[in-house]
Amino acid sequence: MAPLPAFSGTGSESDGSGTDVTWEVSVPAQDGESTELVVETEDDQGNLDSEAETAQIIQKKVPTSFVVDEVHRRLIGQANNKSLLTYGLDDESYSSVELAEPKFCSGLGYRPDQEKAVCATLVEDWFRLTQIDLESGEDQVLFTEQLALDPEEWLFANVLKLEVSEDGASAYILTKFFSSVDYALNKPVFFRYDFSAGELVTLVDGEVKNGDKVTTDTFTLADDGIVVFNDEFGGVDAAYLIDYAGESLTPVSLLPDLILANLDVNADGSLLFTAGFDGIAKTDVAEQSSEVISLESDQSFFQVDQIRSVRLDEANNRLLIGDDGFDYVLAVDTETGERSEFAGNGVGTGKRMLALRSLALDEVNAKAYILDDGGNATSYLIEVDLTTGNRSILADFGDVCHQIAQEVVLHPEANQAYAVFEGVVYTVNLADGSFAVLTGDECGAAGFAFTGGDLDIVNGRLLLTDTALNGVAAVDLATGTYSVLIESDEELDVPVDLVVDTASNSAYIVSQAIDGLHQYDLETGQLVALLDACLESSVNDILDPNIGSVQNVTMDPGGQYLWISGDRVGKYNLQSPTCQTEIGRTHSVLDVKVTSKGQLLGTVFNQMIQLDFETGEAVVISK
């Protein structure tokens, strides 16, 4: 049953025992609507279960690049190139409008007098400015110009940000030109577009008119000028003011050292709010004093990874931060620093995930374990309830010097997991999340470059692929003793993962190269190349590093197939032997595992999914 007038479904089919039924139904889910699904069952005796299963589907997208419309009290943004979205700032309203012409606005602004969004794009070297009707999605071209970049001087240019002046007369656009010669020669270029005259004027071309160099990656508008960080991302933490004529660059205030990424000011310009990857602060411009209101190191639930937009909602005393790493909009109280979620979507409760590099299954307890390297945030081992999608943090590894997570391996008999990072392997107690170093160094000083691993239970060791070796190493689980099993640039070119097969007493190793799948005999040490290509549509070889990346390899419980994850998912039949790829999927799959029932579970950025290998379709298990 669903609160919609009609839906389509297939017939059902019993397995013969009369207890398990395979069925499917297709229900249209409307953007922004919350659809409650209820499954009612009836057996042969007429016994009814009116709520055998229930589920709620939420079709809200999250705009992590946005602008605030103070007049109509709404946030306006984009989550994809097909629509513009609005969220009410004072209520839970949500709406979307489909764009007449698909585009992603690298710079997005708003004209309250016109009730239209302003969109800046820069494709190749064509700069285009349009305004979009928020009711119809129709757009009007305001200005088009080819920048005619000299390829000997410039590789390309990007639009970084757009803001409309308070009086609605002008749009200010920050672009960045990337040098063909030297990264140090990259420069910001500020344009001002006059809406009434239809003219685009260059205000700042790498420097203001008095010759002072400008190196900012962001800006905001104040009454007396353009406020910038006069350095590239994460550099000197100070604010400067460029006057509206583009003549001079004046210091405004020193700022807390928080690896700052974006900023906004309040209505009268007295307070400057800055958001960075180490925290959030506000600065009293007149008093030249700053206060850190929220430190990233104090956060274990609401964190930031890739800050895209920062806008002040002064009426509600909060700073709104769009983060497209975690795919949500944070709200930070400007007085207390308390963080909450303003806009997001997902399945299950608990901390949001970021880079789900590896997945391990505990089917007995209906759990999955996710190793999340956190990007600019902390690394975690996260436990996922497979029945609800709910998430809980099992182990907090800190930033691990921002090492990339590689593999999580379960050892159920010992109630332990092994968390493999680039240069260190941790033993994790599944009961309480406590962990200790098994081998390596937390900041990679030991020189390892681990990429994957699996347990060799028979021999009591953990096997690890290591690209520093271009080979395979073994770590004794009892003593932590490290030894090299294979080291060969010729036979193993960039090994990325392995899986142990106890039935054949061998390990299957996948490398990011031609002859990409190998079998290694654990008793004799013999290495045999099994597969040098796995073609997609008879053209693209998913094992070819020029085509795409390979991430992980696993074996299904029946031992018939090896599954290779990466830019495409491949399935290698050990009995044929043949290899085939999934059809239709366009996103990279970081890791896959197969359940005892043949379900294919995988991880992508932000979410754990269930895949249909034949169609490429997927559903979200936890996000």
Side-chain angles (χ1 to χ4, degrees), residues 280-298:
I280 297 152
K282 65 178 175 181
T283 299
D284 186 305
V285 176
E287 297 293 331
Q288 292 282 294
S289 61
S290 296
E291 174 190 1
V292 177
I293 59 174
S294 178
L295 276 174
E296 193 69 15
S297 58
D298 294 336

Side-chain angles (χ1 to χ4, degrees), residues 70 264-266 271-275 280-284 290-294 310-321 330-340:
E70 287 286 3
D264 201 4
V265 295
N266 65 347
L271 294 176
L272 172 64
F273 292 87
T274 51
I280 297 152
K282 65 178 175 181
T283 299
D284 186 305
S290 296
E291 174 190 1
V292 177
I293 59 174
S294 178
V310 171
R311 300 287 179 174
L312 181 64
D313 176 12
E314 196 165 359
N316 289 309
N317 297 315
R318 62 187 177 184
L319 199 63
L320 301 176
I321 301 174
L330 280 178
V332 182
D333 189 292
T334 56
E335 294 299 325
T336 66
E338 182 181 356
R339 300 188 185 191
S340 58

Side-chain angles (χ1 to χ4, degrees), residues 153-447:
E153 187 176 9
W154 305 109
L155 288 172
F156 59 91
N158 281 344
V159 173
L160 299 182
K161 194 172 183 179
L162 180 150
E163 283 201 25
V164 176
S165 60
E166 187 175 2
D167 60 9
S170 304
Y172 292 82
I173 305 108
L174 171 60
T175 64
K176 188 167 186 178
F177 284 43
F178 291 83
S179 172
S180 302
V181 181
D182 185 352
Y183 183 85
L185 298 177
N186 294 353
K187 67 176 183 179
V189 178
F190 278 92
F191 296 105
R192 181 183 68 233
Y193 178 77
D194 186 306
F195 287 108
S196 60
E199 295 178 350
L200 189 73
V201 177
T202 302
L203 280 184
V204 175
D205 188 0
E207 59 184 32
V208 288
K209 292 182 176 63
N210 70 5
D212 288 341
K213 185 178 180 181
V214 179
T215 57
T216 190
D217 280 342
T218 189
F219 76 98
T220 192
L221 299 180
D223 287 343
D224 48 356
I226 304 168
V227 184
V228 301
F229 299 137
N230 197 31
D231 208 331
E232 294 180 334
F233 160 74
V236 176
D237 289 318
Y240 291 76
L241 186 74
I242 301 172
D243 66 279
Y244 279 118
E247 295 285 346
S248 61
L249 183 71
T250 307
V252 173
S253 177
L254 291 175
L255 300 171
D257 183 9
L258 298 172
I259 314 180
L260 298 175
N262 220 318
L263 72 169
D264 201 4
V265 295
N266 65 347
D268 63 14
S270 61
L271 294 176
L272 172 64
F273 292 87
T274 51
F277 295 92
D278 283 348
I280 297 152
K282 65 178 175 181
T283 299
D284 186 305
V285 176
E287 297 293 331
Q288 292 282 294
S289 61
S290 296
E291 174 190 1
V292 177
I293 59 174
S294 178
L295 276 174
E296 193 69 15
S297 58
D298 294 336
Q299 308 299 318
S300 60
F301 198 90
F302 294 114
Q303 297 177 308
V304 297
D305 173 66
Q306 294 293 333
I307 297 173
R308 291 296 176 236
S309 291
V310 171
R311 300 287 179 174
L312 181 64
D313 176 12
E314 196 165 359
N316 289 309
N317 297 315
R318 62 187 177 184
L319 199 63
L320 301 176
I321 301 174
D323 190 296
D324 69 1
F326 287 111
D327 193 27
Y328 63 178
V329 179
L330 280 178
V332 182
D333 189 292
T334 56
E335 294 299 325
T336 66
E338 182 181 356
R339 300 188 185 191
S340 58
E341 184 174 295
F342 171 78
N345 58 26
V347 177
T349 61
K351 185 189 182 305
R352 286 183 171 267
M353 302 177 289
L354 179 68
L356 291 67
R357 302 287 182 184
S358 183
L359 162 70
L361 295 180
D362 175 5
E363 286 193 76
V364 174
N365 296 299
K367 293 179 181 179
Y369 292 89
I370 303 289
L371 189 59
D372 185 345
D373 72 23
N376 291 318
T378 300
S379 300
Y380 296 101
L381 183 60
I382 295 175
E383 185 180 285
V384 179
D385 186 321
L386 291 176
T387 60
T388 63
N390 293 342
R391 301 170 298 279
S392 57
I393 296 172
L394 180 63
D396 177 348
F397 299 108
D399 63 15
V400 197
C401 289
H402 294 300
Q403 290 193 51
I404 296 176
Q406 302 292 346
E407 189 86 53
V408 56
V409 182
L410 290 187
H411 192 343
E413 294 80 3
N415 202 31
Q416 290 181 330
Y418 299 94
V420 181
F421 290 84
E422 283 178 290
V424 64
V425 180
Y426 294 105
T427 302
V428 184
N429 187 317
L430 293 177
D432 59 14
S434 59
F435 59 90
V437 174
L438 177 66
T439 192
D441 179 85
E442 289 186 302
C443 287

